C-alpha cells in the first residue's frame, strides 16, 4: 500500500493510532516535539507489537513490516 499517514503527537493516543495504521499497511510518520515522548512511544509500540507476536495474533513478517513502515521523529 502506498498511502501515507502523518500522526502529530506521540502521546497515549497518537502512538496507538500510528501503530494501528502501520499494522494496516500504511506508511506512518509519527511526530512529536518532545524527545522523551518519542522514546516512550517507541518503547510502547515495540512492547505492544511483541505481545501481539508472542500471542500469535501477528506473524513475524507483519511485525517486521510494521516496524519498517513506522517513521518516528522529533519535530
Amino acid at each position: 500500500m502506498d498511502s501515507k499517514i502523518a500522526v502529530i503527537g506521540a502521546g497515549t493516543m497518537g502512538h496507538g493510532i500510528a501503530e494501528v495504521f502501520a499494522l494496516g499497511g500504511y506508511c506512518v510518520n509519527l511526530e512529536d516535539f518532545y524527545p522523551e515522548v518519542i522514546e516512550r512511544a517507541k518503547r510502547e509500540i515495540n512492547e505492544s507489537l511483541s505481545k501481539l507476536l508472542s500471542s500469535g495474533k501477528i506473524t513475524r513478517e507483519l511485525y517486521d513490516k510494521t516496524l519498517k513502515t513506522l517513521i518516528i521523529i522529533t519535530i
Side-chain angles (χ1 to χ4, degrees), residues 61-74:
E61 181 181 0
L62 182 56
Y63 175 90
D64 292 339
K65 184 178 178 183
T66 299
L67 289 177
K68 287 179 185 175
T69 62
L70 266 169
I71 299 169
I72 305 174
I73 59 171
T74 303

Side-chain angles (χ1 to χ4, degrees), residues 1-5 25-27:
M1 184 176 289
D2 291 337
S3 297
K4 297 179 182 179
I5 301 289
Y26 291 88
C27 294

Side-chain angles (χ1 to χ4, degrees), residues 12 15-23 39-59 62-64 66-67 70:
T12 302
H15 81 267
I17 292 166
E19 180 182 343
V20 170
F21 274 112
L23 280 167
E39 290 307 312
R40 187 179 72 229
K42 287 179 184 178
R43 186 175 56 253
E44 291 185 10
I45 289 170
N46 280 317
E47 288 173 7
S48 175
L49 291 174
S50 292
K51 286 179 187 177
L52 290 171
L53 180 62
S54 66
S55 68
K57 293 183 180 178
I58 62 172
T59 63
L62 182 56
Y63 175 90
D64 292 339
T66 299
L67 289 177
L70 266 169

